[in-house]
């Protein structure tokens, strides 16, 4: 077994016409704004008080705790995102400010390693007494993630030391021989695994494993906890075991249930633990939950968590476009989970879902100005209904500003700034490229420059500079929608024939080049760079060779508009189609198509042309033009006359750009 | 101005193959069951305690009040329905039991006429202090309706005297020179109008007018009331003025808002007051609200009140079939309102909506066994979602038994037993037939025997026995879907030519035979029974003549299956069609059509055949058979392959019969 490792954040530098502007926006707009929020320097925004809480807990100033019980995590998420920013764009001024924040955080830590400003300031006697709602483990988990990122980005261990003391304290409190406990909101498991990845300390892996294994083994735990204490925070139902995935031991869970962000945070940590420990049954549990989600509970945009109630998964095949919750954070969590799964096994389906979320239902959470955000990412909005009527109150038709509960914006910020970590994984003999994003990557086996027209063009070039003279395999994710026969592969100037190999099973260790391709090279009958076959297996193109300085692997495939159809089990999409081109899902907006989008039809054979936008907020994006039908409006509510149809020109824009041109209707699914 | 009067309940005796079995079911099953409930004699049902409350208030036994604050109304509704039953099927045993209940009710009345067991037993000091939630006026209003019905049915004034004392007490408390007040739940206005209709006491009309006119003139009233008292019942929001239609004076209300049952109870009373007082502006307000509902807020089944939140109207064109509230009581209220409107003006649209509700969305509330009831009448149910997921919890996929809050079952009971009152209205020179229901009617101008194949056949015969030798007009509602050219009219054996006349405006007084037809008779140039033209105006066929004993008016029209289309403004019905035949709306059930009804399509040209069912719960009803398409199920959630289609036989059954064959999916709207 040879799982790949998450690459360090500083090892890639994106130079991508799609993503670099997003990174710039986050660095120049989102992070500074968030920093001001944390410092209560934005006059009209609701007070955050997050840094003040730390200063008060540190004894640096007087005052009361203010904010949500998990207010600390806002600081942790900002630190994590800022660390990624420092890794990508060194900035001495920012680094100083980060150091100053870390200094405050460190001072707020208690002598025994405990760090949570809510409980320290407000209810020290209730420490660890409210794992259901207290969010102590959640906040500390985020601080551990920040610490690992900060260490990797800057080499400084200031925050890392804080995180280790924190983790050591947790290890001293919880465990098989100690106190039983599981977090009400998963996150510490991931934090511990990040610490383990950075420090190699096995007890952090063991602690993460404990929290994962303990979940679901004492279903009465939260209810007992509630009975034994005299306070509560949110009034959560301790008997709702689905909500926090404690309804069964994780290995027995076959169905993704409950709060979708909690769920994917747990699943990501399970994958990380499975990778680190080689635990087959834990990986199989991840596979089961993955399959459940992607075959029954995922929107066509990659969004998950359909229910507007408790931000949770709904039942199988219940995917209402107009009442979706589809929280930005859930999709960010799904990206991180997919990344963790890819570090176990290079399966195209993981990379496909990761790509789908990245280009659609994560970044749809942010306005093009970087100052307005959606928690909820519906696939249909209807002004007058969305955000206003029962069952749709949560579906806002326009992105509001920063939220009091600021989870999604910083989550997007850290995802976008750490995107390089989603692009690659590597082990001793293989480099995996998961995403076609233009960049310079400095990996262990090679430096690789990627040029890419993605997501608008199906053309990518990898220029390889091997670090030593050694045969290794470059494995490139080929998106699931690319047909093998339409894929052209050139290496070092020569066209390569494609072999296809059967995909692996659902077992853990497969980070190996496929047999067929090994054989082709192994027996020495074929020359490198000449007739060597590239092998396509399970969504990855494997090419093993002795790479020469400047060798170029070039891939091309046609970028056609595709119509997607939902299974008839999903009630809401019957008779409708959704358009995709490459990884990008399209939508129809009122701004382009007039009122009553439900009156539009796109006949099955209609030709669809793609063209690049040259102006405004859509600039650079490819939009779709097509001829369709519009059913006429009628005065009466019901009529025996079928509505008359007229030919109209329709335009679809990338889904992630919706809502950038004022209040209007939006639909992903259009009637055929 | 010559408004027609509501006919007394004993004047008709239904002999209808459709409705008589319903009346029998109500008399033999629903009323006795409800009586047992009121007496707490059903072992497994939740305790009602409703009659016990009256006995306790009367000092006949000791105990505490139990039940909802409006528990008294259960007794009133039973008394009203029992009175109609006595009018239709005299039953000495039942009459004795009714007398016994009235005796208890009378004893519970306070010396000053006040009657409300909740306040009398529990909080006498809070009488009239909680009009928002207290339901005193609501309960007394129902008792007044019961009293009027009982008096009309039996000639006894025992309950009427109670109701008059009650009304007199109310008159002594509220009014322009007295205390300001409006009921939080409208109903007393109707009760007062029924008392006025029976007794002719003008102060009851004035009191009803007061409550109607006072509404919306002091928007702060309920909030002030809340501030000035130290208790509350349900925690209703006193500032939600839409909920109880107090957001504006009624004459200024253009949009039906809030709790739909409250709304239609108010509108009915407004129509009754407009008819009695000749108040044009009040009738115009009714017209405005009627138009708002029927053009923007009514389901194809006639159901209203789409929102699952607070049982209320939603915004314009928001008519989700799968999340409908569409409370049975709201449709019953709409029937009564339509009846009141018809007593002002014989407009086909009123009778059409009344008929639509009667044959569809009212009786859909009752299982064929008379023992299970729906509050909510969805146009689509999906087991696994309906009743289970967020936004659909209120949509039960099967009818449960009797409810603790038993509003809908007794409301259906009184509607069904008093149906004769919906069939006719009359004034000095015209008899209006609003519904094609077979019966013997003993009206002032004539006895009329109606034979009818309705709703399954378009054939009706009126055999007239005039009471005196006098020319009068028989006006028969011709359903809106009947095309004038397809209508055959015979009178006294001769075919009559049809004239059409323009409909009247939106003004109050039009209970007159149309001019064209008056002229045809008036100038004496045409023989009665011979060449006299029947005049079709505004949905009514007018035939004025000197009716001879045994004269038969015979109408025939084809009963074709119609496809209905919703306006494109309603998102949920776009691309779909609903089937009707006569007044009956059809639906597709899983029992006949297999799983995934959303996978079915009914191509536009497909032939539909109708046939009468001969067995089981559908026996006697006409079902529809047609050839359609089924899209195939697919394993994957999304696919580039459009779903394959295969030819299938489809069957639709009358909507009112849905849910009688076990748990299964149901849809009214089917994709074209």
């Amino acid at each position: 077994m040879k799982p790949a490792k998450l690459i360090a954040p500083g090892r890639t530098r994106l130079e991508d016409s799609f993503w670099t502007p997003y990174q710039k926006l986050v660095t120049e707009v989102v992070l500074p704004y968030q920093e001001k929020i944390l410092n209560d320097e934005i006059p009209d925004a609701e007070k955050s008080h997050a840094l003040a809480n730390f200063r008060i807990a540190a004894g640096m100033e007087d005052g009361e705790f203010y904010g949500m019980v998990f207010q600390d995590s806002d600081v942790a998420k900002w630190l994590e995102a800022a660390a990624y920013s420092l890794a990508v764009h060194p900035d001495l001024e920012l680094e100083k400010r980060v150091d100053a924040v870390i200094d405050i955080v460190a001072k707020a830590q208690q002598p025994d390693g405990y760090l949570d400003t809510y409980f320290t300031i407000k209810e020290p006697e209730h420490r660890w007494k409210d794992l259901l709602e207290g969010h102590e483990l959640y906040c500390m988990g985020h601080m551990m993630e920040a610490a690992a990122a900060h260490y990797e980005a800057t080499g400084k261990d200031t925050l890392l030391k804080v995180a280790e003391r924190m983790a050591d304290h947790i290890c001293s409190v919880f465990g098989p021989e100690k106190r039983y406990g599981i977090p009400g909101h998963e996150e510490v498991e991931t934090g511990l695994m990040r610490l383990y990845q950075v420090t190699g300390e096995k007890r952090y892996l063991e602690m993460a494993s404990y929290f994962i294994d303990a979940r679901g083994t004492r279903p009465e735990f939260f209810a007992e906890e509630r009975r034994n204490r005299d306070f509560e925070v949110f009034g959560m139902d301790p008997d709702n075991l689905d909500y926090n995935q404690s309804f069964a031991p994780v290995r027995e869970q076959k169905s993704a249930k409950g709060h979708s962000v909690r769920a994917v945070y747990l699943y990501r940590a399970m994958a990380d633990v499975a990778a680190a420990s080689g635990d087959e049954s834990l990986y199989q549990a991840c596979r089961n939950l993955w399959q459940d989600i992607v075959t029954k509970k995922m929107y066509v945009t990659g969004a998950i968590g359909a229910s507007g109630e408790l931000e949770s998964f709904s039942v199988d095949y219940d995917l209402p476009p107009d009442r979706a919750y589809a929280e930005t954070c859930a999709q960010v969590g799904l990206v991180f989970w997919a990344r963790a799964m890819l570090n176990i096994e290079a399966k195209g389906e993981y990379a496909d879902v990761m790509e789908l979320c990245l280009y659609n239902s994560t970044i749809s959470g942010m306005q093009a100005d970087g100052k307005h955000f959606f928690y909820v990412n519906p696939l249909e909005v209807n002004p007058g209904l969305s955000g206003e009527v029962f069952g749709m109150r949560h579906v806002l038709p326009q992105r509001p500003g920063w939220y009091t509960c600021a989870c999604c914006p910083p989550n997007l910020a850290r995802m976008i700034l750490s995107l390089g970590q989603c692009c690659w994984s590597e082990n001793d003999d293989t480099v995996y490229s998961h995403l076609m994003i233009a960049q310079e990557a400095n990996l262990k086996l090679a430096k690789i420059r990627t040029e890419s027209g993605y997501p608008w063009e199906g053309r990518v070039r990898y220029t390889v500079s091997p670090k030593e003279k050694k045969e290794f395999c470059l494995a490139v994710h080929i998106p699931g929608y690319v047909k093998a026969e339409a894929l052209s592969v050139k290496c070092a100037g020569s066209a390569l024939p494609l072999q296809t190999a059967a995909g692996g099973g659902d077992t853990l260790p497969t980070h190996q080049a496929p047999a067929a391709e090994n054989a082709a090279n192994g027996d020495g009958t074929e020359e490198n760079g000449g007739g060597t076959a590239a092998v396509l297996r399970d969504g990855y193109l494997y090419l093993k060779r002795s790479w020469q300085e400047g060798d170029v692997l070039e891939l091309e495939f046609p970028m056609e508009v595709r119509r997607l159809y939902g299974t008839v089990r999903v009630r809401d999409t019957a008779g409708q189609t959704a358009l995709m081109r490459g990884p990008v899902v399209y939508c129809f907006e009122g701004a382009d198509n007039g009122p009553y989008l439900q009156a539009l039809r796109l006949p099955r054979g209609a030709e669809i042309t793609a063209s690049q936008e040259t102006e405004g907020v859509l600039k650079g994006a490819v939009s779709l033009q097509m001829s369709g039908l519009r059913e006429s409006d009628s005065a009466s509510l019901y009529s025996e006359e079928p509505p008359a149809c007229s030919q109209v020109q329709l335009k679809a824009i990338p889904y992630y750009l919706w809502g950038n041109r004022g209040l209007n209707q939006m639909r992903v699914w259009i009637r055929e």
Side-chain angles (χ1 to χ4, degrees), chain A:
Chain A
M1 173 175 162
K2 210 164 42 167
K5 277 201 180 149
L6 186 63
I7 63 157
R11 291 185 159 270
T12 65
R13 182 180 301 273
L14 267 50
E15 292 170 355
D16 191 73
S17 62
F18 189 92
W19 286 107
T20 301
Y22 269 106
Q23 290 197 331
K24 211 164 126 71
L25 187 66
V26 171
T27 300
E28 294 176 2
V29 177
V30 182
L31 281 186
Y33 188 85
Q34 191 186 355
E35 194 181 348
K36 285 204 177 73
I37 291 274
L38 296 177
N39 281 296
D40 300 310
E41 290 168 2
I42 305 277
D44 296 334
E46 177 147 358
K47 187 167 73 161
S48 157
H49 208 257
L51 268 170
N53 290 335
F54 278 95
R55 284 193 298 269
I56 294 164
M60 297 165 74
E61 65 183 49
D62 288 336
E64 281 304 309
F65 179 91
Y66 176 89
M68 308 291 257
V69 68
F70 45 77
Q71 205 80 349
D72 286 4
S73 63
D74 286 2
V75 173
K77 284 177 186 166
W78 180 80
L79 282 172
E80 186 185 354
Y84 296 132
S85 180
L86 292 175
V88 179
H89 308 285
D91 174 341
L92 278 179
E93 283 308 308
L94 176 61
E95 194 168 345
K96 272 188 216 165
R97 297 202 306 277
V98 166
D99 287 342
V101 170
I102 290 172
D103 192 51
I104 297 167
V105 169
K107 287 189 174 130
Q109 189 167 35
Q110 301 301 293
D112 62 356
Y114 182 89
L115 176 50
D116 186 286
T117 70
Y118 173 87
F119 284 95
T120 298
I121 298 171
K122 224 173 157 172
E123 315 193 39
E125 72 282 14
H126 288 134
R127 256 196 194 194
W128 301 131
K129 287 197 175 158
D130 186 11
L131 298 193
L132 178 63
E133 301 187 333
H135 283 79
E136 293 150 292
L137 290 168
Y138 172 84
C139 289
M140 295 195 214
H142 270 301
M143 200 59 85
M144 294 176 204
E145 282 208 82
H150 181 249
Y151 174 72
E152 288 179 325
T154 63
K156 295 181 186 172
D157 66 0
T158 43
L159 192 56
L160 186 64
K161 289 292 170 212
V162 173
E164 289 183 276
R165 282 196 298 273
M166 197 186 267
D168 292 342
H169 173 69
I170 291 169
C171 292
S172 77
V173 174
F174 298 101
E177 311 291 305
K178 297 161 199 162
R179 191 196 295 194
Y180 177 90
I182 53 169
H185 193 316
E186 299 92 329
E187 163 61 27
V188 74
E189 303 87 342
T190 289
L192 288 162
M193 286 309 295
R194 290 287 288 130
L195 280 195
Y196 168 67
Q197 287 158 9
V198 167
T199 65
E201 271 296 350
K202 263 213 122 167
R203 65 179 176 280
Y204 301 150
L205 166 60
E206 285 160 8
M207 194 69 240
S209 296
Y210 168 80
F211 282 131
I212 287 169
D213 292 342
R215 185 165 296 273
T217 61
R218 277 185 55 183
E220 70 291 356
F221 172 67
F222 289 127
E224 277 174 5
E225 192 189 57
R226 172 77 45 102
R227 273 198 296 279
N228 295 335
R229 73 200 172 78
D230 52 359
F231 76 112
E232 64 180 60
V233 182
F234 298 107
M236 282 180 190
D237 175 7
D239 294 316
N240 185 347
L241 304 182
D242 286 355
Y243 179 68
N244 49 43
Q245 299 77 44
S246 66
F247 59 92
V250 297
R251 286 170 184 75
E252 292 168 24
Q253 297 189 17
K254 307 282 188 232
S255 175
K257 290 188 187 180
H259 188 254
S260 58
V261 174
R262 281 172 167 77
V264 289
Y265 281 21
L266 169 65
Y267 307 156
R268 171 197 173 176
M270 285 162 61
D272 280 336
V273 169
S277 64
D279 185 330
E280 288 280 355
S281 65
L282 198 54
Y283 179 55
Q284 187 55 51
C286 291
R287 291 281 306 149
N288 294 342
L289 292 161
W290 179 274
Q291 283 301 316
D292 180 63
I293 290 174
V294 302
T295 63
K296 295 173 187 166
K297 291 171 183 162
M298 190 176 75
Y299 284 98
V300 73
T301 58
I304 56 172
S307 175
E309 187 176 55
L310 297 175
E311 309 175 329
S312 55
F313 287 103
S314 187
V315 299
D316 295 351
Y317 305 110
D318 183 32
L319 294 163
D322 54 348
R323 289 173 290 127
Y325 201 83
E327 186 178 339
T328 306
C329 286
Q331 283 90 251
V332 169
L334 182 52
V335 165
F336 292 151
W337 179 26
R339 187 179 72 184
M341 295 295 269
L342 283 169
N343 283 331
I344 295 175
E345 192 175 16
K347 275 177 111 62
E349 62 178 304
Y350 302 148
D352 284 334
V353 168
M354 184 166 80
E355 184 177 276
L356 189 65
C357 292
L358 283 172
Y359 285 100
N360 300 289
S361 52
T362 54
I363 52 173
S364 58
M366 185 162 71
Q367 192 90 347
D369 65 5
K371 293 176 180 163
H372 299 81
F373 297 87
F374 278 137
Y375 277 37
V376 168
N377 294 276
L379 283 77
E380 177 183 332
V381 294
N382 301 284
L385 299 175
S386 306
E388 301 194 17
V389 305
F390 174 65
M392 295 190 190
R393 291 256 158 69
H394 59 286
V395 182
L396 303 184
Q398 287 192 291
R399 294 174 186 86
W402 203 268
Y403 288 71
T404 319
C405 170
C407 62
C408 297
N411 237 342
L412 266 185
R414 67 178 182 140
M415 181 198 83
I416 289 169
L417 291 176
S418 69
L419 189 57
Q421 294 189 293
C422 292
C423 293
W424 306 95
S425 47
E426 56 177 339
N427 56 30
D428 296 342
D429 55 15
T430 308
V431 173
Y432 296 89
S433 163
H434 304 304
L435 295 167
M436 297 180 172
I437 295 180
Q439 63 193 299
E440 300 274 358
N442 181 7
L443 305 166
K444 270 183 264 171
L445 293 164
K447 288 189 176 185
I448 300 180
R449 191 158 79 88
T450 311
E451 296 156 278
S452 170
Y454 219 63
W456 311 123
E457 292 170 43
R459 211 180 55 237
V460 60
R461 283 165 57 95
Y462 297 88
T463 306
V464 179
S465 302
K467 295 231 173 137
E468 45 184 315
K469 276 219 170 292
K470 176 187 162 187
E471 197 180 59
F472 71 90
C473 188
L474 177 58
V476 177
H477 172 237
I478 306 301
Y481 60 83
V482 177
K483 290 175 185 66
E485 60 275 19
L487 177 65
S488 127
V489 182
K490 273 194 219 164
C491 189
S494 312
L496 291 192
L498 268 186
Q499 291 180 21
T500 54
D506 277 3
T507 52
L508 186 55
T510 64
H511 274 283
Q512 300 184 356
E517 182 259 346
N518 280 336
N521 282 284
D523 64 11
T525 53
E526 305 213 44
E527 287 300 295
N528 285 328
T532 305
V535 178
L536 196 58
R537 196 194 68 177
D538 218 355
Y540 278 76
L541 182 85
Y542 290 85
L543 185 63
K544 187 175 184 178
R545 52 183 273 133
S546 289
W547 293 89
Q548 306 299 311
E549 175 65 30
D551 271 1
V552 173
L553 171 65
E554 211 172 345
L555 304 178
E556 270 192 52
F557 49 89
M559 201 64 115
E560 282 158 1
V561 178
R562 311 185 314 280
R563 288 182 184 227
L564 273 90
Y565 300 91
T567 166
V568 296
R569 295 180 184 218
V570 176
R571 293 177 311 124
D572 304 85
T573 55
Q576 299 178 71
T577 187
L579 303 181
M580 289 187 76
R581 184 174 177 278
V584 176
V585 175
Y586 282 78
C587 72
F588 296 83
E589 277 200 302
D592 303 307
N593 301 289
Y596 311 128
L597 298 181
Q598 62 271 17
L600 301 180
R601 281 164 49 196
L602 179 59
R604 185 148 304 169
E607 200 188 334
I608 303 176
T609 59
S611 64
Q612 197 145 27
E613 294 281 335
T614 55
E615 284 184 1
V617 73
L618 304 179
K619 189 175 175 179
V622 169
S623 65
L624 307 180
Q625 290 74 33
M626 66 217 86
S627 178
L629 298 172
R630 173 178 278 281
E631 292 178 352
S632 61
D633 190 14
S634 63
S636 61
L637 200 45
Y638 305 105
S639 160
E640 291 183 34
E641 271 305 303
C645 268
S646 55
Q647 202 91 15
V648 285
Q649 271 306 108
L650 302 179
K651 174 174 174 175
I653 66 160
Y655 169 75
Y656 72 87
L657 284 170
W658 86 267
N660 272 293
R661 295 174 296 167
L663 181 67
N664 71 165
Q665 204 185 1
M666 184 277 289
R667 273 177 94 98
V668 167
W669 293 92
I670 187 169
R671 295 167 50 206
E672 266 212 337

